[in-house]
Amino acid sequence: MKYNFKKIETKWQEIWKKNKIYLTKNILDKKKFYVLDMFPYPSGYGLHVGHILGYTASDVFSRFKKSLGYNVLHPIGFDSFGLPTEQFAIKTGQSPKQITKLNIKKYSKQLLKLGLSYDWNRTISTHKKEYFKWTQWIFLKLFNSWYDKKKEKAKDIKKLIKIFNKNGNLNVLAYSRFSKKFNSFQWKKLNCSDQERILQNYRLAFISKSSVNWCPKLGSVLANEEIENKLSKIGCYPVCKKKMFQWSLRIKAYLVRLLKDLKLIKGTKKLKSIQKNWICETKGINIVFFLYKENNIINKRAKFEIFTTKPYLLFGISFFCFPFGSSLIKKYTQFGRNYKKRIFKNRIVIFSGLYAVNNLNTNKIPIFISNFVKDKFNKKIIHCIPYVNFESYFLAKKINLNITRIINKNKFHKICINSKFLTGLDIKIANLLIIKFLITKKIGFLCRKYKINNAIFSRQRSWGEPIPIYFKNKIPIPIYEKYLPLSLPNVKNKRKDFAFAWNKKKKQIVYTSLIDDKNIFKLEICTMPSWAASNFYFLRYMDPNNFEFLVDKKIENYWRNVDLYIGGIEHATGHLIYSRFIYKFLYDRGFVSSKEPFRKILNQGMILAKSAIIFKKKNKLFSYFLVKDNIKKFQKIYIDVNLLKNKNEVNIKKLRNWMPEFRTAKFISENNKFFCYRLVEKMSKSKFNVINPDYICKEYGADTLRLYEMFLGPLDKAKIWNLISIKGVHMFLKNFWNLFHYKNKFRIDESKSSYKEQSLLNVSITKIKKSLESHHFNIPISEFMILLNKLKEMKCNKRDILEPFTILISFYAPHISEEIWEKLGNNKSIFFATFPKMNENLFLKKYLLYPITLNGKFKFKIKTDISVNTSKLITRIFHSLLMAQPINKLFLVQNKILNFVTK
C-alpha cells in the first residue's frame, strides 16, 4: 500500500476539526502547561516557511507535554489591526475590514493544513469589538492611574486627587514631570480644566506636545522600530521629526522594575542584553547652572540642568548649545532681533546673548543656539567640551572660543590639569571628589538616565483601536468603561460628516456635524499603535469568551505565566518590553497575580533567503551593475523574487504590473537587460523573499514540511532555506509507512520483542525525551532515522516496539501517525496517548569487565557477574595469574579495578 499523504492528511484534518480534539478545558486541579506563539499579523501574503519554523516547534513541544499528562494550552489568534492593511486598502479602494477577514481566512486555512494542535475555540482577532473593548479598557485604566515611587506601584488617580484635596502635592513622591509645589488650598482654588492640566503630568496615559517621527507619505507617526535609515520600513518613505500633540504612556516609571525583573525570566543572554541595551540605564549626576545676562544673574529661577557621567570634565566647558525653540531662550532674550547667524557644514550657530555660571566655576560660559553638537543624554541642552569632543572643537575653532586642556595622559594614568582643586588628581579620584563637592554645594544630585522614552501611543490611522476619549474645552475626558467598546466610524467616499462624536447626555456616538461643545463633543480621532493589542493577548486566550472581565481571577491564577513563549528575537525591543510593562501595570492594579508574564522565552533563528533589490533616484530605476560602485546615493527598493528571470534579471513587464508606482517609472538598463542585486537576509514579507508553504504541502505533504523545518538545525540558529534535502525527509516517512505494510497490506507482529529490540527502543526514548526537554528539536529526527534503519535490518514490526515509536513520531508528523494509530486498533486519537515508558531494568548491567593490574601494570580483563562475591572473584583472579611470588597488598575499587602488589 502506497503512502498517499494527500488522502491521509485531508482525512485527519477534517476529523480533528469536526471532533474538536484540540479543545482545552480549564481543569483547575490538573497540572498545566501554557505554550504560546508570537501573535501573527495576517497579511495578504499568507504564511511563509519562516513562520512555520516557530509554529512547528511549539506544536511539537505541546504534543510532548500533553503526552506527559499536562493540561496544555496552545492557542492561536490574529493581530489584525495594522498599517500594511490600511495602505493596501487605500491603494485598492477596498475596506480594510474585508481585506482582514479574507487574510485571516487564508491564514487559518494554511495553519489547519499543517496539522497544528491549536485550540481554535479560543481564537481571537484584535480588530473585533469583543477584543478591542479590552484594549480600550486597559488604556482607560492607565489614564486613571498614577505611579507612587515610594510604594513602587501604580495606583488609582482618585487616591492622588484625594491627597491633593488634603495636602496638595507637598508630600507626594510620584513619577511626574511636574515640579511646581502647591497646597490643598491652591489646588481647590483651581477650576476643573486647570486641575486636569496638572493631573496630565501624573497620569500613566497622558497627552502632550512631543517630538515624533512623522512620515508624510503614510500620514502617520512611526515608532523607532518602524524606521530604518530615516525611511519607513513600510514603503521606504522619508521620515522627519515633527512636534505634535500625542498620547503617550509613562513607561519610564517602570524601567527600574523592567531591568530588575529580567532575572525572573528564563531566556538567552542575548535576549536579556538586548532589553538592557534598549532601556540603557546610565548612572551620573545632574548639575545646575544659572543664567547670566551681561554681568548679572537674571534671577534664581533662571537656571537649567545638564547630565554627565564624567563631571571631572566640567572645567573644560567652552560653551553651551541650546536647541531652536528653547523656552529659556524665548523667555529671557529677544531672539531674532539683530542676532548674527553663522553657518558651518549646513548647520546654524547663533549667539543668544546669555551666559551660564555655577558655584563650581565662576567663569561665564557663552550660550549658543545651534543644532551642531549632538549628545545622547542631553537632547535639549548640550555642554560642549572641545578638548574631548571633535564637533565641539571644530565649532570652538570657527567662532574663536577658548579651548582648555584638562587632561594630561601618561603611560599609566590620566591626570586632571587646569581644573582648580582637581588639578594633579587621577580622573577616577577626581570624579569622586567633584561629585561630593557638587552634592555638598547643592548644585548637583545623583540620578539615572535611560535611553528609552515614554511610549508615543497615537497613530494618525483609520485602521486601529479608537482611543476612548472626548474633548471638552480642549481637556481630555474618558468615556465610562460601561459604554465600551468605542467602535470605528464607517467612513465612505471621504465624507466629512460621519458618526464619530460623543453625545454626553445620551452616552452614544453621533455624527460629527452635530458637535456643539455643550452636549456633543469631539472624539479623539487618533487610533492606538499596532503594538497596543499585542501587550495582553495571552491573557485573553485564557478566558476569551468572558465579556465582563479581562480574565476571570481563578482562571488567570491557574494558567498564569506563559510557560514557553516562542518567537523571533527581533521582538525583544518592542513587543516584549511593552507587554512586560503593561503586565506589571495590571499586576499593580490587582488584575493579574504574578510580576512577569513569561516564564521562559525561546527565540527561533531566522530562516534566510535571497531577496531582490533595485535602485531608485528620483523617478528613475537603475540596473544594479550601473550603480554598484556608488550604491549609497540611491534608494534601495525591494521587489518580489518571483519577478526575476534567470541570473538575477528582472522581468520589467511583470514589475510594471506588480505595483502602480512602477507603471510610469523609467528603467535605465544595460544591453536591454535590467539586473537586481541579490542579498541573503531574513525571510520577510516586507522584503518580498518569502517561500509559500502551500507548494511544499502539495508536493510532499505537511508532515514532511514539519519534519524538514525541524531537521534544518537547532531552533535558535539562523538557517538558509533550500529544498535539497527535503526528498530525504519524505523518503524517511515512506520507509516508516512501509514498516507497517507488506505487499499492500497492513501487518503487525503481536509476539513479544527481544531484549535487543527493547534495548534499542529504550535508548531512543531516553535520547528523544532528553532532547525535547532541552528544546533540541532536530536531534530526535536523527534518532528516528537511526531507529528506523536498525528496525528494518532486524526485520522488526512488533507491536510493543512500533506502537511507542509511532507515538514519538506523532509529535512531528501527526497525520501519518494518526493513520497508523487507527490501523493498530486504537479508537482514541494518538494526541491523547501517553509518552512511552522506559524500562529502567534494561539499563542495568548484568556483567562487568574488571581490569586486572599487577604492580600497577595492566595484565588482562576478566568478565564476571555483577553480583559475584568479592573473595571468590579474588581467588579466581589469583589462580589466573599463577604467580610464584606471594601477594603483599591488594587494592580493590568496587566494580572498577583490582591491583595486586608483590613483595
Side-chain angles (χ1 to χ4, degrees):
M1 187 182 288
K2 280 187 178 182
Y3 168 45
N4 187 341
F5 64 84
K6 288 181 182 177
K7 188 179 176 182
I8 291 167
E9 290 178 2
T10 305
K11 170 189 169 182
W12 287 108
Q13 284 159 18
E14 287 174 1
I15 291 171
W16 294 335
K17 188 178 178 181
K18 184 183 176 182
N19 296 334
K20 296 182 180 179
I21 69 156
Y22 301 135
L23 184 72
T24 305
K25 293 180 180 178
N26 299 321
I27 308 168
L28 305 183
D29 57 347
K30 189 177 180 181
K31 59 181 180 178
K32 67 91 186 181
F33 201 89
Y34 188 174
V35 183
L36 184 67
D37 292 305
M38 283 196 179
F39 221 10
Y41 175 73
S43 74
Y45 288 93
L47 284 174
H48 63 71
V49 294
H51 294 131
I52 294 166
L53 181 71
Y55 299 160
T56 306
S58 69
D59 191 58
V60 168
F61 200 75
S62 297
R63 290 173 182 273
F64 166 62
K65 280 291 183 181
K66 179 78 176 176
S67 72
L68 294 174
Y70 286 86
N71 186 23
V72 177
L73 178 57
H74 186 212
I76 189 65
F78 301 99
D79 192 7
S80 44
F81 273 130
L83 185 56
T85 301
E86 183 178 315
Q87 287 299 302
F88 187 77
I90 291 166
K91 282 180 182 179
T92 59
Q94 299 178 63
S95 158
K97 191 173 183 179
Q98 190 59 32
I99 293 166
T100 301
K101 189 178 177 181
L102 292 170
N103 290 349
I104 288 174
K105 191 177 179 181
K106 184 177 181 178
Y107 253 71
S108 302
K109 191 178 177 182
Q110 286 180 304
L111 290 168
L112 285 163
K113 270 187 181 180
L114 293 165
L116 300 166
S117 60
Y118 291 133
D119 180 356
W120 289 93
N121 282 63
R122 292 177 184 258
T123 303
I124 54 178
S125 296
T126 59
H127 76 285
K128 291 186 177 179
K129 289 180 183 180
E130 300 81 20
Y131 186 90
F132 70 71
K133 170 187 176 177
W134 299 107
T135 317
Q136 292 173 342
W137 178 84
I138 288 172
F139 175 83
L140 290 180
K141 291 295 178 188
L142 285 159
F143 182 83
N144 290 316
S145 298
W146 64 288
Y147 195 84
D148 187 339
K149 287 173 81 174
K150 192 182 281 186
K151 297 286 184 182
E152 288 191 337
K153 65 181 293 187
K155 292 181 177 178
D156 195 317
I157 200 77
K158 288 176 184 176
K159 290 182 180 179
L160 185 66
I161 295 168
K162 198 174 180 181
I163 293 167
F164 286 173
N165 283 324
K166 193 175 181 182
N167 301 310
N169 70 345
L170 301 175
N171 300 314
V172 172
L173 190 61
Y175 197 94
S176 171
R177 59 186 177 176
F178 194 75
S179 56
K180 193 177 177 181
K181 294 292 179 181
F182 55 84
N183 56 35
S184 60
F185 176 75
Q186 290 168 317
W187 169 257
K188 289 173 184 176
K189 206 174 177 182
L190 298 171
N191 60 39
C192 293
S193 296
D194 289 336
Q195 285 184 348
E196 180 52 43
R197 286 187 185 97
I198 291 172
L199 287 172
Q200 281 294 310
N201 294 284
Y202 292 90
R203 294 185 187 276
L204 291 182
F206 62 97
I207 195 167
S208 65
K209 202 166 190 178
S210 309
S211 179
V212 295
N213 302 312
W214 175 253
C215 180
K217 194 79 176 174
L218 295 175
S220 180
V221 168
L222 298 178
N224 290 334
E225 309 89 69
E226 297 171 315
I227 302 163
E228 193 174 335
N229 300 324
K230 296 183 180 179
L231 296 171
S232 63
K233 286 184 179 178
I234 296 168
C236 289
Y237 300 122
V239 177
C240 61
K241 287 287 181 183
K242 186 178 180 180
K243 281 204 166 185
M244 298 174 69
F245 276 100
Q246 297 284 287
W247 285 97
S248 299
L249 301 186
R250 219 177 290 279
I251 190 174
K252 291 184 85 171
Y254 282 84
L255 295 183
V256 174
R257 285 167 65 185
L258 286 170
L259 285 172
K260 186 177 74 174
D261 290 345
L262 273 173
K263 64 177 181 286
L264 302 176
I265 303 169
K266 290 180 183 177
T268 61
K269 285 183 180 178
K270 185 180 178 182
L271 173 74
K272 292 185 179 183
S273 66
I274 288 171
Q275 291 223 341
K276 285 176 184 176
N277 293 337
W278 190 255
I279 294 169
C280 194
E281 180 185 66
T282 308
K283 294 177 183 178
I285 187 165
N286 260 15
I287 303 161
V288 179
F289 285 84
F290 294 94
L291 287 176
Y292 269 66
K293 196 170 185 180
E294 295 172 351
N295 294 319
N296 301 313
I297 187 169
I298 295 172
N299 60 55
K300 288 184 179 180
R301 290 182 181 178
K303 59 185 179 180
F304 64 92
E305 295 172 4
I306 59 133
F307 175 84
T308 181
T309 57
K310 299 173 182 178
Y312 64 86
L313 296 174
L314 287 177
F315 291 100
I317 298 175
S318 290
F319 61 100
F320 284 96
C321 278
F322 276 50
F324 290 96
S326 167
S327 57
L328 283 171
I329 298 293
K330 286 179 179 177
K331 192 172 183 180
Y332 298 113
T333 69
Q334 291 179 324
F335 178 64
R337 297 182 185 178
N338 303 319
Y339 279 90
K340 188 178 178 182
K341 186 187 288 186
R342 301 184 185 187
I343 299 173
F344 307 106
K345 290 187 177 180
N346 297 321
R347 294 192 184 178
I348 301 166
V349 181
I350 304 168
F351 178 57
S352 66
L354 299 176
Y355 296 88
V357 176
N358 76 353
N359 292 346
L360 179 69
N361 190 346
T362 54
N363 295 336
K364 291 192 297 180
I365 304 167
I367 294 171
F368 291 84
I369 303 149
S370 176
N371 61 347
F372 197 86
V373 182
K374 292 183 178 179
D375 181 283
K376 70 175 179 178
F377 296 115
N378 304 289
K379 292 176 181 177
K380 293 183 178 179
I381 301 170
I382 300 160
H383 57 290
C384 302
I385 307 169
Y387 188 71
V388 296
N389 181 274
F390 175 75
E391 284 186 325
S392 300
Y393 179 84
F394 177 85
L395 187 56
K397 278 284 185 184
K398 287 286 183 184
I399 54 181
N400 299 317
L401 290 174
N402 181 44
I403 298 171
T404 307
R405 189 182 175 202
I406 46 173
I407 302 293
N408 189 25
K409 299 176 185 177
N410 59 37
K411 284 185 179 179
F412 306 104
H413 299 283
K414 289 181 181 179
I415 307 297
C416 292
I417 58 171
N418 300 321
S419 303
K420 293 194 174 182
F421 60 91
L422 299 181
T423 300
L425 295 176
D426 181 87
I427 60 167
K428 289 181 181 177
I429 297 166
N431 214 42
L432 295 171
L433 187 64
I434 196 168
I435 287 170
K436 190 177 179 181
F437 176 85
L438 291 166
I439 293 168
T440 305
K441 293 287 184 180
K442 295 183 179 179
I443 55 170
F445 52 92
L446 295 173
C447 68
R448 294 170 179 174
K449 287 275 184 177
Y450 299 91
K451 186 176 81 172
I452 194 170
N453 293 313
N454 287 326
I456 302 292
F457 202 68
S458 303
R459 296 294 185 270
Q460 292 65 38
R461 299 173 187 166
S462 59
W463 188 237
E465 299 89 341
I467 295 172
I469 294 286
Y470 67 92
F471 293 90
K472 184 178 181 181
N473 300 325
K474 295 184 180 180
I475 297 299
I477 299 169
I479 289 168
Y480 292 138
E481 290 171 14
K482 64 181 178 180
Y483 299 117
L484 297 180
L486 179 69
S487 299
L488 284 165
N490 186 17
V491 184
K492 290 182 179 179
N493 302 322
K494 297 183 179 179
R495 280 177 57 179
K496 289 183 179 179
D497 183 24
F498 53 90
F500 205 63
W502 187 250
N503 189 319
K504 190 183 175 184
K505 275 190 175 180
K506 294 184 179 179
K507 310 295 182 188
Q508 65 184 31
I509 291 174
V510 294
Y511 279 90
T512 52
S513 59
L514 300 174
I515 292 173
D516 58 9
D517 292 324
K518 292 177 182 177
N519 294 315
I520 299 170
F521 301 94
K522 178 188 172 185
L523 278 163
E524 174 59 77
I525 56 170
C526 288
T527 56
M528 299 185 195
S530 54
W531 50 265
S534 60
N535 295 326
F536 66 97
Y537 72 104
F538 43 87
L539 292 172
R540 284 302 289 169
Y541 280 144
M542 297 176 187
D543 199 9
N545 299 315
N546 191 335
F547 303 111
E548 300 300 319
F549 301 99
L550 174 67
V551 57
D552 181 84
K553 283 199 171 185
K554 283 184 181 178
I555 293 171
E556 187 278 326
N557 196 47
Y558 174 63
W559 289 115
R560 69 171 179 174
N561 299 118
V562 174
D563 295 286
L564 181 65
Y565 196 17
I566 299 179
I569 202 163
E570 65 271 20
H571 299 292
T573 54
H575 162 65
L576 286 177
I577 286 179
Y578 294 137
S579 57
R580 290 180 62 220
F581 155 57
I582 293 296
Y583 193 85
K584 285 183 180 300
F585 165 73
L586 293 172
Y587 173 73
D588 288 350
R589 294 299 308 271
F591 301 116
V592 294
S593 55
S594 55
K595 291 181 180 180
E596 285 289 336
F598 317 116
R599 289 185 195 275
K600 186 168 186 174
I601 300 171
L602 189 61
N603 296 123
Q604 68 198 56
M606 293 179 182
I607 295 281
L608 307 177
K610 274 189 175 183
S611 54
I613 302 166
I614 58 175
F615 300 89
K616 184 181 179 182
K617 200 169 187 181
K618 294 181 180 178
N619 199 34
K620 292 179 181 178
L621 296 162
F622 293 84
S623 181
Y624 167 63
F625 295 107
L626 296 174
V627 300
K628 67 175 184 176
D629 298 325
N630 211 4
I631 276 177
K632 289 183 180 178
K633 290 186 177 180
F634 294 83
Q635 183 187 344
K636 285 195 307 182
I637 296 176
Y638 285 92
I639 62 169
D640 197 325
V641 291
N642 296 310
L643 301 172
L644 304 186
K645 300 178 184 178
N646 294 329
K647 295 183 180 179
N648 304 334
E649 187 186 347
V650 180
N651 188 324
I652 294 175
K653 191 177 179 181
K654 283 185 178 179
L655 181 60
R656 286 190 189 277
N657 295 327
W658 181 57
M659 287 275 188
E661 61 195 87
F662 297 121
R663 281 171 196 163
T664 57
K666 189 176 180 181
F667 290 84
I668 311 299
S669 55
E670 46 189 316
N671 300 323
N672 294 320
K673 289 185 177 181
F674 192 90
F675 293 96
C676 67
Y677 174 62
R678 303 303 301 275
L679 182 67
V680 176
E681 52 188 334
K682 179 195 171 186
M683 190 179 287
S684 168
K685 290 169 281 191
S686 62
K687 293 177 172 56
F688 306 108
N689 62 345
V690 298
I691 307 295
N692 194 307
D694 294 349
Y695 164 75
I696 301 164
C697 288
K698 190 177 178 181
E699 286 292 311
Y700 302 101
D703 283 344
T704 300
L705 177 59
R706 287 167 59 108
L707 272 167
Y708 181 64
E709 291 259 3
M710 295 294 95
F711 192 53
L712 282 171
L715 182 69
D716 58 337
K717 304 296 179 189
K719 296 164 272 286
I720 296 175
W721 181 261
N722 66 68
L723 285 172
I724 294 169
S725 49
I726 198 166
K727 288 181 181 178
V729 174
H730 188 61
M731 186 56 68
F732 161 74
L733 285 178
K734 281 184 176 180
N735 291 335
F736 176 68
W737 177 263
N738 293 334
L739 202 61
F740 296 86
H741 295 85
Y742 180 72
K743 291 183 178 180
N744 291 329
K745 287 185 179 180
F746 182 82
R747 62 165 193 158
I748 194 78
D749 189 345
E750 300 289 349
S751 62
K752 193 177 180 183
S753 55
S754 65
Y755 173 80
K756 188 179 179 181
E757 291 165 340
Q758 280 289 334
S759 298
L760 190 66
L761 177 66
N762 266 259
V763 168
S764 293
I765 290 169
T766 307
K767 285 182 181 178
I768 289 163
K769 188 177 183 183
K770 191 177 177 182
S771 298
L772 288 173
E773 283 172 341
S774 56
H775 309 117
H776 295 136
F777 298 108
N778 58 316
I779 295 173
I781 300 171
S782 300
E783 197 58 40
F784 293 155
M785 292 174 175
I786 292 165
L787 180 59
L788 180 66
N789 289 334
K790 287 182 178 177
L791 291 175
K792 278 174 73 180
E793 285 173 17
M794 297 163 72
K795 295 181 180 178
C796 172
N797 73 326
K798 292 172 182 172
R799 178 183 286 274
D800 59 353
I801 299 295
L802 296 191
E803 202 165 68
F805 188 19
T806 307
I807 293 169
L808 296 172
I809 284 186
S810 71
F811 306 150
Y812 291 81
H815 302 91
I816 189 173
S817 305
E818 192 77 90
E819 181 71 12
I820 289 167
W821 189 251
E822 185 188 50
K823 289 189 173 196
L824 286 167
N826 296 290
N827 295 322
K828 211 171 184 181
S829 171
I830 198 169
F831 181 68
F832 302 104
T834 55
F835 193 84
K837 290 181 180 178
M838 290 172 285
N839 187 349
E840 292 180 4
N841 294 326
L842 292 169
F843 292 102
L844 298 174
K845 292 181 179 179
K846 293 186 177 182
Y847 298 97
L848 280 174
L849 279 173
Y850 256 108
I852 309 302
T853 60
L854 182 62
N855 296 326
K857 291 183 180 180
F858 175 75
K859 288 295 178 182
F860 56 86
K861 287 183 180 180
I862 189 166
K863 189 177 182 181
T864 179
D865 194 291
I866 199 163
S867 59
V868 72
N869 185 282
T870 307
S871 58
K872 285 182 180 180
L873 176 64
I874 293 167
T875 306
R876 184 181 163 193
I877 295 165
F878 184 78
H879 287 301
S880 299
L881 288 168
L882 298 171
M883 291 184 299
Q885 297 179 23
I887 299 295
N888 184 31
K889 288 180 181 178
L890 186 146
F891 296 95
L892 171 70
V893 180
Q894 191 71 39
N895 298 339
K896 293 283 184 181
I897 195 169
L898 190 59
N899 183 33
F900 291 91
V901 180
T902 58
K903 284 184 181 179

